[in-house]
């Protein structure tokens, strides 16, 4: 049997892996199926959690509308009493909001007297909303109001009956009211040209 010298061999023996190579093999290759499963679970949880933080928009119809104006002015026309409001925020918080509990207060104290078209915006409309909820928009986006000076005057109080007095009560002829005059506060109607 011939004896072969190790230097005559066609292949080289592999050197043993270094500490860094052993560490990288342990991190990336060993238990590969378990590591891929844990990566999949992590990604599912990541998308579930970040999906909850996406703000949701919801439209609330029939929100009560009120106006705050200067003390010496009054609204002479009949603006809408309700509007639709689009709110955005966490879906859980939006789900707990009842539209009948909402009140949109429009600030018109800085407007001059006369017919005005008021644009509803976040700066002009104040609402008491839960934390994390914000206003996205209003429908209608504008409201027409007629602002007129407020006057105070005394008016006579008159008694008027509708229908017929029931039998047994006789006739009511001489009635008077105390006080005979009442104070009424109302806007002065501005003459239209």
């Amino acid at each position: 049997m011939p004896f072969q010298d190790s230097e005559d061999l066609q292949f080289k023996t592999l050197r043993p892996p270094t500490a860094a190579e052993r560490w990288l093999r342990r991190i990336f290759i060993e238990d590969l199926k378990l590591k891929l499963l844990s990566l999949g679970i992590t990604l599912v949880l990541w998308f579930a959690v970040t999906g909850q933080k996406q703000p949701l928009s919801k439209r609330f119809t029939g929100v009560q509308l009120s106006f705050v104006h200067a003390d010496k002015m009054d609204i002479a026309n009949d603006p809408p009493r309700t509007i639709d409001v689009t709110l955005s925020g966490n879906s859980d918080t939006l789900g707990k909001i009842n539209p009948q509990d909402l009140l949109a207060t429009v600030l018109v104290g800085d407007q001059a007297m006369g017919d005005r078209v008021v644009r509803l915006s976040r700066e002009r409309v104040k609402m008491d909303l839960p934390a994390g909820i914000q206003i996205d928009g209003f429908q209608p986006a504008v409201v027409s109001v007629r602002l007129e000076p407020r006057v105070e005057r005394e008016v006579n109080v008159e008694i008027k009956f509708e229908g017929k007095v029931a039998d047994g009560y006789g006739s009511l002829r001489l009635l008077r009211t105390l006080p005979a005059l009442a104070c009424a506060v109302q806007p002065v109607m501005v003459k239209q040209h």
Side-chain angles (χ1 to χ4, degrees), residues 45-54:
L45 289 174
W46 174 266
F47 288 121
V49 169
T50 58
Q52 287 182 352
K53 295 189 180 195
Q54 294 287 335

Side-chain angles (χ1 to χ4, degrees), residues 113-130:
M113 289 188 231
D115 289 330
R116 299 286 170 235
V117 176
V118 179
R119 180 169 299 284
L120 302 180
S121 64
R122 289 185 207 157
E123 295 78 28
R124 187 167 293 280
V125 179
K126 301 299 177 201
M127 294 181 71
D128 187 23
L129 297 172

Side-chain angles (χ1 to χ4, degrees), residues 10-171:
Q10 297 282 335
F11 62 91
K12 289 187 171 180
T13 57
L14 296 176
R15 63 174 174 76
T18 64
E21 290 173 334
R22 282 193 309 266
W23 183 74
L24 288 173
R25 175 178 283 279
R26 212 174 315 134
I27 288 177
F28 292 110
I29 297 176
E30 290 179 12
D31 297 326
L32 184 62
K33 290 180 184 177
L34 184 61
K35 289 176 182 175
L36 289 175
L37 176 65
S38 65
L39 177 65
I41 291 171
T42 303
L43 289 175
V44 167
L45 289 174
W46 174 266
F47 288 121
V49 169
T50 58
Q52 287 182 352
K53 295 189 180 195
Q54 294 287 335
L56 176 73
S57 289
K58 186 175 179 183
R59 186 174 182 168
F60 293 90
T61 59
V63 175
Q64 297 175 26
L65 185 64
S66 70
F67 294 90
V68 174
H69 45 76
D71 289 337
K72 299 197 182 220
M73 287 194 298
D74 211 349
I75 297 175
N77 66 335
D78 192 20
R81 298 184 189 279
T82 61
I83 58 172
D84 296 348
V85 179
T86 304
L87 301 176
S88 65
N90 186 327
S91 61
D92 293 336
T93 309
L94 284 175
K96 294 176 184 176
I97 295 176
N98 184 357
Q100 280 98 21
D101 295 339
L102 294 176
L103 175 66
T105 304
V106 183
L107 307 174
V108 293
D110 60 341
Q111 299 289 315
M113 289 188 231
D115 289 330
R116 299 286 170 235
V117 176
V118 179
R119 180 169 299 284
L120 302 180
S121 64
R122 289 185 207 157
E123 295 78 28
R124 187 167 293 280
V125 179
K126 301 299 177 201
M127 294 181 71
D128 187 23
L129 297 172
I133 302 297
Q134 65 180 6
I135 301 169
D136 281 347
F138 302 96
Q139 186 63 35
V142 293
V143 176
S144 296
V145 293
R146 184 182 310 127
L147 297 171
E148 296 182 357
R150 183 184 296 181
V151 294
E152 190 173 309
R153 64 177 133 195
E154 290 186 346
V155 293
N156 290 326
V157 177
E158 296 178 13
I159 300 174
K160 290 188 178 179
F161 292 101
E162 286 188 17
K164 188 177 167 184
V165 178
D167 292 333
Y169 286 97
S171 63

